[in-house]
Amino acid sequence: MNPNLFLADFGHIVNAPGGISRLREMIYNLAVTGALSEQRRSDGDGHALLEEITAKKQALSDAGKYKRSPKLENFRDAYNENLPKVPATWAWSRLVEVGEISPRNEAEDDSTASFASMSAISEMHSSAVTSEDRPWGSIKKGYTHFANGDVVLAKITPCFENGKAAVMVNLTNGIGAGTTELHVVRPIAGVIEPGYIYVFLRSPYFKIVGEGHMTGTAGQKRLPTEYFATRPFPLPPLAEQKRIVAKVDELMALCDQLEAQQLERERRFPVLSRTCHARFAEAPTPDNLNRIFDEVGAVSPADIKRMILTLAAHGKLVAQDPREESATKLLERVAVKREQLLKNGYPNSDEAKSQLRKQHAQHLPEGLQDLPVGWKWATLMQASLLVVDCHNKTAPYVSSGIRLIRTTNIRAGQLNALEPKYVSEATYERWSARCKPEPGDILVTREAPMGEVCIIPQGVKLCMGQRMMLIRLAPDTVDVNFLLYSLMDPELMQRVQDKPIGATVQHLRVGGVETLLVAIPPLAEQRRIVAKVDELMVLVDQLEAQQQERDKLAEAFAKACVASFTGTSQLERPEKMRIFEEAPHA
């Protein structure tokens, strides 16, 4: 076997989502349709082998060493759908015709035997059951029996779907028992290769059709014994069975190598990802963003978006210009406009007095981290015109009217229409008595979950529900989109002075929102930051869509390749199957 040739032909399958699993399925399917092995006249014929098996079974039965299954032997024609084409030297049979189904073992009660749970049955050609040894007498009743050379298959989902099967070897004293959720076949010794039966049970030809015959409830389905024992079994001559098993083992070893390489890449992924992220943090350009997707490959777009927002909130996304009006002067303008409006009773007399009182109590803690040139720390109230809490009672719903916004309607910086609720005009007036929400205001949730934000769109009239607050900015001061992105910073909770409370469901205090620390840049820089965030977010969405499309195409291509090979005719086989053999057929 030439591994490089193998990879050259099947790299496109391997690199698709679930590609190695598909490659394994393809190998198993090719094996049981004769496309993986060479047919030789010297091997004899499957039909003659079947006659030999029948004679041996009869001899064992006459000697009392074989348990016949008349019910299964007479069960025919129920599972004959989708039979593939097989070589002329092969014969169609059934497991019940080539081996003993659900055999029983004989031994002295004080003999030692292996006892295996389902987890001890590995998805390998041969399974050395290393579970505990017990006296045979304690496990011989009520359990599934098996012996060295028996082939077992899990009968329940999801173990059956995962292909949990094995050829039993290295059992203590050659015998064992285990879970009742196993099918067992004991091949007639000397004429059937157990490993070939294993390959058959792992093949899509057996499994895919078998899934359609599962019985039981949705939560616990079982593969019937009738299907296991009587599904048509493609029988090659014994010598060819052994060549098939050897070739499958060789190819599965290559698949194991590929999986090991993938695991190594996955192990190294965090280091590579951190390196690419650091490069982007130093220079957050579209080119470096493209490199993250190209070099890391499996990078999470959500992680990239979170990093962009963090860079934006900390002044690391665009360059500073010392000629621009500083945030200190900007916040002074905010304070002047706010003072004028509030002293004139905006938005109403009671709320204006409350806002002025809270403004006078605002202060910044000592020891805050240094900010870029022109930036300044402020509390959310210091940067805003109003920060208003909701009416914290459940509003009475009506069938239509004014839209009521609940915390579930605010996600990922957007207002959504999930399960819309409505309130009457009277309820709206009462619930909005402190301040009527307006387009351009920011809503922030305090719970369920806390810290979600959105901007009220233009042309929308809404009523603010429970556990949220409203932020309104002074005109022509702080950019509302910049503040939104700042509040979406994944590190936001580090800037909360009055920390979240709640043992099970954490929520922000009203004061925690009002005194939240925000780093304010000059207004011109805010606008550059917003433009850069928008540009990069669009690019991330495009790269994510391209990545998803590549994955879909790769998966579709892998499926098409598998279908192409599993549908190969005998005339096409020598050319298409060259990579599975040392040399092409003559």
Side-chain angles (χ1 to χ4, degrees):
M1 171 56 57
N2 185 332
N4 293 327
L5 195 57
F6 181 86
L7 292 176
D9 279 56
F10 289 98
H12 49 270
I13 297 180
V14 169
N15 293 324
I20 294 180
S21 294
R22 293 191 183 280
L23 185 55
R24 290 186 192 274
E25 288 180 359
M26 184 178 74
I27 292 168
Y28 286 128
N29 217 54
L30 292 170
V32 298
T33 55
L36 201 62
S37 56
E38 180 186 3
Q39 285 76 55
R40 301 173 185 173
R41 292 182 180 179
S42 59
D43 291 341
D45 183 276
H47 299 278
L49 178 63
L50 190 55
E51 291 178 2
E52 183 181 352
I53 292 170
T54 301
K56 285 203 170 194
K57 277 176 54 181
Q58 187 61 53
L60 289 170
S61 180
D62 292 344
K65 297 180 180 179
Y66 180 86
K67 183 186 73 175
R68 302 194 71 94
S69 303
K71 180 180 177 182
L72 294 174
E73 290 170 358
N74 295 326
F75 193 96
R76 293 183 179 277
D77 302 325
Y79 307 117
N80 290 355
E81 62 261 56
N82 302 323
L83 297 185
K85 182 180 178 182
V86 296
T89 55
W90 290 28
W92 281 106
S93 181
R94 299 175 298 166
L95 291 185
V96 71
E97 294 173 333
V98 301
E100 186 178 357
I101 305 299
S102 302
R104 303 292 293 180
N105 295 329
E106 296 296 336
E108 299 295 331
D109 285 355
D110 58 356
S111 298
T112 302
S114 296
F115 184 80
S117 63
M118 183 71 79
S119 61
I121 311 299
S122 60
E123 299 167 28
M124 300 170 59
H125 179 154
S126 295
S127 179
V129 177
T130 56
S131 52
E132 63 179 304
D133 289 341
R134 296 186 187 177
W136 176 246
S138 66
I139 60 174
K140 70 177 180 178
K141 294 181 180 179
Y143 292 99
T144 299
H145 287 197
F146 39 75
N148 284 337
D150 288 355
V151 186
V152 301
L153 173 74
K155 66 171 72 170
I156 57 171
T157 55
C159 294
F160 168 76
E161 293 165 345
N162 294 336
K164 210 165 181 60
V167 178
M168 307 308 284
V169 297
N170 297 338
L171 300 172
T172 301
N173 291 322
I175 56 174
T179 172
T180 58
E181 303 296 354
L182 289 173
H183 286 307
V184 183
V185 58
R186 180 168 297 167
I188 302 301
V191 285
I192 292 292
E193 174 62 32
Y196 178 72
I197 292 180
Y198 168 85
V199 170
F200 164 71
L201 296 176
R202 291 299 307 274
S203 70
Y205 157 70
F206 177 84
K207 286 183 56 186
I208 291 175
V209 180
E211 289 169 356
H213 291 283
M214 302 293 279
T215 61
T217 63
Q220 189 66 78
K221 291 194 172 185
R222 288 175 171 78
L223 185 75
T225 302
E226 289 82 2
Y227 182 91
F228 172 76
T230 65
R231 171 69 169 157
F233 172 63
L235 179 66
L238 180 59
E240 188 174 351
Q241 292 178 39
K242 294 184 178 187
R243 290 199 303 277
I244 289 171
V245 171
K247 183 61 67 176
V248 168
D249 286 348
E250 184 181 3
L251 294 173
M252 290 301 163
L254 282 173
C255 289
D256 291 342
Q257 292 178 25
L258 293 172
E259 279 189 325
Q261 292 171 10
Q262 284 190 346
L263 288 172
E264 177 61 18
R265 285 196 296 271
E266 291 171 6
R267 185 188 67 79
R268 295 172 57 192
F269 168 76
V271 176
L272 180 60
S273 180
R274 284 195 297 271
T275 301
C276 291
H277 280 58
R279 183 190 302 154
F280 179 75
E282 291 175 4
T285 64
D287 283 345
N288 277 338
L289 185 56
N290 273 295
R291 288 193 186 98
I292 291 179
F293 278 81
D294 290 340
E295 295 179 21
V296 180
V299 65
S300 164
D303 286 344
I304 296 294
K305 288 184 176 182
R306 284 191 287 268
M307 180 172 63
I308 291 170
L309 293 169
T310 296
L311 294 174
H314 292 79
K316 297 179 180 179
L317 203 58
V318 301
Q320 283 75 47
D321 186 344
R323 297 170 297 178
E324 296 171 347
E325 179 194 50
S326 70
T328 299
K329 292 186 178 294
L330 173 64
L331 289 168
E332 288 173 355
R333 290 199 292 113
V334 170
V336 170
K337 288 190 175 186
R338 181 177 56 234
E339 192 85 0
Q340 291 173 344
L341 288 166
L342 294 179
K343 285 187 174 180
N344 286 328
Y346 178 86
N348 57 68
S349 178
D350 289 343
E351 189 59 36
K353 291 177 183 177
S354 175
Q355 293 287 321
L356 282 168
R357 184 177 66 255
K358 290 183 177 182
Q359 282 290 344
H360 294 154
Q362 298 296 303
H363 68 277
L364 295 174
E366 299 291 334
L368 293 175
Q369 70 179 67
D370 293 337
L371 293 173
V373 173
W375 287 51
K376 183 174 176 59
W377 285 108
T379 68
L380 187 58
M381 287 202 74
Q382 289 172 337
S384 307
L385 172 59
L386 301 169
V387 179
V388 181
D389 191 22
C390 63
H391 186 67
N392 280 298
K393 288 185 179 180
T394 303
Y397 302 151
V398 294
S399 59
S400 63
I402 298 169
R403 177 83 185 279
L404 177 73
I405 299 303
R406 298 170 297 156
T407 58
T408 54
N409 298 127
I410 304 174
R411 289 292 185 276
Q414 299 287 331
L415 189 66
N416 65 57
L418 183 67
E419 297 181 3
K421 302 294 182 184
Y422 302 93
V423 296
S424 66
E425 185 72 31
T427 299
Y428 167 74
E429 290 292 336
R430 183 181 176 192
W431 257 248
S432 306
R434 292 185 61 182
C435 179
K436 292 180 179 178
E438 297 178 355
D441 290 345
I442 294 177
L443 300 179
V444 56
T445 63
R446 294 197 294 109
E447 185 181 321
M450 62 183 181
E452 293 284 347
V453 292
C454 74
I455 297 174
I456 300 176
Q458 292 300 314
V460 174
K461 181 179 180 179
L462 56 80
C463 181
M464 190 165 56
Q466 293 186 87
R467 300 185 296 277
M468 68 179 67
M469 296 180 69
L470 177 149
I471 303 163
R472 182 170 297 167
L473 300 175
D476 303 315
T477 55
V478 176
D479 186 287
V480 66
N481 289 294
F482 169 79
L483 185 58
L484 178 80
Y485 290 148
S486 178
L487 296 176
M488 291 173 68
D489 173 17
E491 299 179 4
L492 177 72
M493 291 305 164
Q494 297 178 20
R495 299 190 262 135
V496 177
Q497 298 188 71
D498 192 351
K499 294 299 181 185
I501 61 172
T504 49
V505 180
Q506 287 194 329
H507 64 273
L508 286 165
R509 300 177 190 268
V510 171
V513 177
E514 294 171 340
T515 62
L516 173 70
L517 296 169
V518 288
I520 302 296
L523 181 57
E525 186 175 344
Q526 292 177 37
R527 291 168 177 163
R528 292 200 305 277
I529 290 171
V530 169
K532 178 61 72 173
V533 169
D534 290 344
E535 175 192 10
L536 293 175
M537 291 298 188
V538 168
L539 181 55
V540 171
D541 288 339
Q542 292 173 349
L543 292 171
E544 181 181 17
Q546 292 170 10
Q547 189 179 72
Q548 291 173 346
E549 185 62 24
R550 283 195 300 268
D551 287 347
K552 287 180 182 177
L553 289 172
E555 185 173 10
F557 190 46
K559 288 180 179 177
C561 289
V562 171
S564 171
F565 274 89
T566 55
T568 299
S569 72
Q570 292 298 298
L571 291 176
E572 296 171 318
R573 181 181 62 81
E575 173 61 22
K576 286 195 173 184
M577 298 317 300
R578 61 190 172 84
I579 56 100
F580 288 109
E581 302 171 2
E582 296 296 340
H585 290 303

